[in-house]
């Protein structure tokens, strides 16, 4: 489950938004936003801190610390409750629509009486927004698209939240006497970016102890249905979790069946039928005699069908069956293969932790190399200068080799401007170890313009990696429109790596685009884009996307030894600078 830090972060962020929507002091709202980010990125569990300890977190003053202590003690923050009472819940829901901020949500409520997403859709369709200051046909189009994004996300759960929940459940049930096996299944096991619910399987001879333990978990708010083989609950955060208890002898078949995908299962059932067999969650059977052949492990079920074991992230009916029959399944990248991270931030710009803390955390995670890539000056709110960047470089060089086995790289995250320009001239960029270039603005340019700016960045002699290439933020901002095949071809030709951004709010590139880029011969960098120490733990989700995109360690430059990586970076810059 989420740490208390995440609960406090969400509450303070909500308070900041409520202050904005009710027209309160914007400076105060920004202070609460900053505190929310700081607490969310704090590596210490805030529930173990007193007011004094909380005030040691950057951006957390006395007033905020006192409110947090009160919330942790009572489960309530009166200041938030007071602001909530001023605005209907439906209006707060409007703020979740991409492209609709607090001020516009308040205008819609005060001028048109709009207090729900449904009422807003109706107002747009009736063209009632056009008479309001700050709105127009383009606003209506953006709002409708934002409503679509919000509804598409629906009740789906981000992969990191689902994973944290599943890990806690599996740990609890694995400790129940009689547990032979326990694992999560479904789309979470396939590492989908969001999941509809969480599926957990237990192999045991008796189901009742597990149903009892499951329904007694502290975060269970409602028992939806309870039976001998399956029980469904809803957590306090609204997530549905389904528990199934199966006989130990059926474990492999059940795990395969409930992992899916549906399309993958249909394919392998068709293979079974052609072999006069029947495959179900209970096992693989002879059709005529009904005799069970195999069921204990997934490997044995696949083997009896003439297939190698297929890793769950590949089970989407995207050619994995045919590849298995040809013995051509990729040796997928794993988290253990990752040697380094080429995209991270510190509190010099918009990160939450100082350089020394980020480096120490990277060393603790066993990375072999680690790049610090704070923002360049075109993101003006970060107030970066050459002097600041050069001073940081000296600090990075001083810290290099202070942690055994870890080498440090000094880099920067450049902003790709609307014409493809980047922040600093080539002669300054030449002295960085690595340059990540990303789009941070002008998301509404047309397809041709977006393609041109990305192609220009790929051609730049000192751009090594394109960061979060599509710019999407899950549930909030759609991917920008570009000719991705042209971009992928340019990356392959110029030797520009594409990032698989591991932050669960981004997961960018998507697995579908990774597959397409891979076919062009592109190399990739799986990076965390970490802005805090806990963010470094998100690496696993980037690896999951890479696995779903069929990537091997050879495809990913952050698995390479540092010597090979440095050669890749130097060769690329040297070739294109001529």
């Amino acid at each position: 489950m989420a740490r208390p830090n995440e609960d406090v972060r969400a509450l303070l962020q909500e308070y900041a938004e409520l202050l904005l929507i009710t027209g309160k002091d914007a400076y105060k709202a920004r202070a609460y936003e900053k505190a929310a980010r700081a607490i969310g990125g704090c590596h210490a569990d805030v529930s173990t801190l007193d007011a004094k300890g909380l005030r040691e977190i950057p951006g957390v003053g006395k007033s905020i610390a006192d409110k947090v202590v009160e919330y942790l003690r009572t489960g309530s923050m009166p200041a938030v409750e007071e602001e909530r009472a001023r605005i209907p819940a439906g209006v707060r829901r409007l703020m979740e629509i991409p492209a609709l901020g607090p001020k516009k949500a308040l205008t819609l409520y005060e001028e048109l009486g709009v207090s729900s997403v449904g009422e807003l859709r109706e107002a747009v369709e009736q063209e009632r927004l056009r008479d309001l200051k700050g709105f127009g046909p383009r606003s209506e189009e953006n709002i409708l698209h934002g409503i679509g994004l919000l509804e598409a996300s629906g009740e789906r759960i981000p992969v990191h939240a689902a994973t944290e929940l599943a890990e806690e459940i599996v740990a609890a049930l694995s400790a129940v006497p009689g547990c032979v096996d326990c694992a999560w299944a479904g789309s979470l096991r396939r590492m989908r970016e969001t999941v509809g619910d969480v599926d957990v399987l237990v192999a045991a001879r008796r189901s009742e102890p597990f149903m009892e333990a499951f329904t007694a978990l502290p975060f269970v708010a409602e028992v939806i249905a309870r039976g001998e083989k399956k029980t469904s609950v809803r957590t306090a955060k609204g997530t549905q979790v389904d528990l199934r208890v199966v006989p130990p002898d059926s474990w492999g078949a059940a795990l395969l069946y409930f992992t899916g995908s549906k399309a993958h299962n249909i394919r392998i059932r068709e293979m079974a039928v052609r072999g006069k067999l029947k495959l179900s969650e209970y096992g693989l059977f002879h059709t005529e005699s009904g005799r069970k052949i195999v069921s204990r492990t997934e490997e044995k079920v696949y083997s009896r069908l003439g297939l190698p074991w297929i890793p769950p992230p590949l089970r989407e009916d995207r050619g994995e069956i045919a590849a298995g029959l040809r013995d051509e399944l990729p040796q997928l990248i794993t988290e253990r293969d990752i040697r380094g991270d080429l995209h991270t931030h510190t509190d010099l710009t918009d990160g939450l932790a100082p350089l020394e803390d980020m480096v120490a955390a990277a060393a603790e995670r066993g990375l072999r190399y680690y790049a610090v890539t704070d923002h360049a000056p075109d993101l003006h709110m970060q107030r970066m200068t050459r002097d600041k960047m050069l001073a940081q470089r000296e600090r990075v060089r001083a810290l290099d080799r202070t942690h055994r086995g870890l080498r440090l790289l000094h880099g920067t995250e450049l902003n790709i401007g609307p014409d493809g320009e980047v922040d600093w001239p080539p002669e300054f960029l030449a002295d960085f170890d690595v340059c990540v270039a990303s789009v941070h603005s002008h998301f509404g340019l047309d397809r041709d313009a977006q393609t041109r700016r990305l192609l220009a960045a790929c051609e730049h002699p000192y751009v090594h990696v394109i960061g979060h290439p599509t710019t999407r933020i899950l549930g909030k901002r759609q991917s920008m429109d570009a000719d991705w095949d042209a971009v992928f071809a340019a990356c392959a030709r110029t030797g520009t790596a594409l990032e698989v951004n591991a932050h669960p709010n981004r997961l960018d590139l998507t697995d579908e685009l990774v597959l397409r880029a891979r076919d062009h011969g592109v190399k990739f960098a799986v990076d965390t884009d970490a802005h805090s120490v806990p963010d470094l733990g998100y690496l696993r989700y980037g690896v999951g996307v890479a696995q779903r995109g069929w990537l091997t360690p050879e495809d990913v430059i952050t698995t390479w030894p540092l010597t090979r990586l440095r050669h890749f970076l130097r060769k690329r810059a040297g070739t294109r600078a001529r």
Side-chain angles (χ1 to χ4, degrees), residues 65-78:
D66 290 343
K67 287 183 175 66
V68 172
V69 168
E70 182 177 27
Y71 168 72
L72 293 171
R73 180 174 57 84
T74 67
S76 176
M77 193 177 287

Side-chain angles (χ1 to χ4, degrees), residues 300-344:
K300 289 183 178 179
V301 175
Y302 275 117
S303 178
R304 183 60 180 80
L305 294 172
L307 289 166
W309 180 78
I310 298 177
L314 298 185
R315 300 181 195 177
E316 298 290 350
D317 191 26
R318 296 194 290 206
E320 70 276 8
I321 301 292
L325 290 171
R326 297 191 305 267
D327 197 25
E328 294 179 359
L329 286 172
Q331 294 298 310
L332 294 181
I333 183 176
T334 69
E335 193 172 351
R336 292 187 300 274
D337 295 317
I338 298 292
R339 295 173 185 253
D341 195 334
L342 299 182
H343 184 180
T344 70

Side-chain angles (χ1 to χ4, degrees), residues 138 378-379 415-421 439-446 449-450 453 471 477 480-481:
R138 184 64 182 271
D378 279 2
L379 286 182
N415 183 55
I416 303 173
D419 295 319
E421 71 278 11
V439 170
H440 296 103
S441 62
H442 298 86
F443 305 115
L445 295 178
D446 64 34
Q450 298 288 27
R453 74 194 294 202
T471 76
R477 185 169 70 218
M480 67 182 186
D481 189 17

Side-chain angles (χ1 to χ4, degrees), residues 345 349-350 373-377 379 382 384 389 412-413 440 531:
H345 297 273
T349 55
D350 60 344
T373 56
D374 275 312
H375 290 287
L379 286 182
Q382 307 305 340
M384 178 55 72
M389 189 58 83
T412 183
E413 184 181 13
H440 296 103
H531 284 66

Side-chain angles (χ1 to χ4, degrees), residues 40-63:
C42 179
H43 61 276
D45 184 337
V46 295
S47 67
T48 66
L49 303 178
D50 58 13
K52 181 180 178 181
L54 287 166
R55 290 197 299 272
E56 293 177 359
I57 300 173
V60 178
K62 183 179 185 305
S63 176

